[in-house]
Amino acid sequence: MKAQTFENLIRKVVREEIDYALRREIKSLKEDLRDELKPSIVEHTERKVEVPQQSSLKEKIMGKKPIMQKQNFVGDNTLNDLLNETAMGNTNTQTAQAPVSLSQPFTTGGVTHMDTTGMPESVANAVTRDYSGLMKAINKKKGL
């Protein structure tokens, strides 16, 4: 038998086997789809449940305030949006959740004492370190 004839015979047999396997798989998939797509009768009933009207989380936190009109503080849109957010927001400086504690004033010099309990040692060292020498070196480099 010639090599070319043998090669053609193998191609024909492989093609027939692939066609047979594909038909079998396609038939199986079609049956699965038919089973899934069979209409099932489901009766839906609607129930109305009244939900008590509650204020949103934002209203609970920020309180009800009239919405202020946006002002144009500067020409830069991004900065203007940020300034408007700040102007409309509640900084809430009177509670314990205030972003800045006004009970401990800012200091511009000298050593400030800070409670470092519960902090890892490396963080506590970084927080309580005296940075005055570093700031003097920076100012000297800037020529101030």
Side-chain angles (χ1 to χ4, degrees):
M1 194 183 287
K2 291 184 177 178
Q4 183 68 30
T5 309
F6 183 67
E7 183 180 329
N8 288 339
L9 184 63
I10 289 176
R11 286 179 190 261
K12 183 179 178 185
V13 170
V14 168
R15 195 173 295 127
E16 288 174 359
E17 287 298 318
I18 289 174
D19 286 343
Y20 174 72
L22 283 175
R23 280 191 206 111
R24 191 175 61 217
E25 286 300 316
I26 289 172
K27 183 178 179 182
S28 168
L29 290 172
K30 282 183 179 179
E31 288 175 2
D32 290 345
L33 280 175
R34 275 189 220 120
D35 291 343
E36 287 179 13
L37 295 177
K38 282 185 180 176
S40 57
I41 300 172
V42 178
E43 187 174 327
H44 292 284
T45 57
E46 290 186 23
R47 264 188 341 175
K48 291 186 179 181
V49 178
E50 288 191 32
V51 179
Q53 189 167 351
Q54 295 179 351
S55 59
S56 69
L57 180 60
K58 182 179 178 183
E59 288 176 355
K60 286 180 182 177
I61 294 172
M62 300 297 287
K64 287 189 177 184
K65 285 188 178 180
I67 297 175
M68 297 172 56
Q69 295 293 328
K70 286 189 176 182
Q71 296 178 3
N72 195 7
F73 293 104
V74 292
D76 184 15
N77 289 336
T78 306
L79 182 58
N80 196 39
D81 289 342
L82 183 63
L83 290 171
N84 275 307
E85 272 184 38
T86 305
M88 285 187 244
N90 181 4
T91 56
N92 200 10
T93 57
Q94 305 305 319
T95 66
Q97 296 177 346
V100 175
S101 174
L102 298 178
S103 64
Q104 298 173 353
F106 297 112
T107 59
T108 55
V111 179
T112 58
H113 298 287
M114 178 178 234
D115 183 23
T116 58
T117 55
M119 287 186 194
E121 185 178 344
S122 58
V123 174
N125 289 340
V127 169
T128 58
R129 180 178 168 192
D130 182 18
Y131 289 97
S132 61
L134 176 65
M135 296 309 295
K136 286 179 185 176
I138 291 172
N139 288 337
K140 183 178 179 183
K141 187 173 182 179
K142 286 183 179 178
L144 296 176

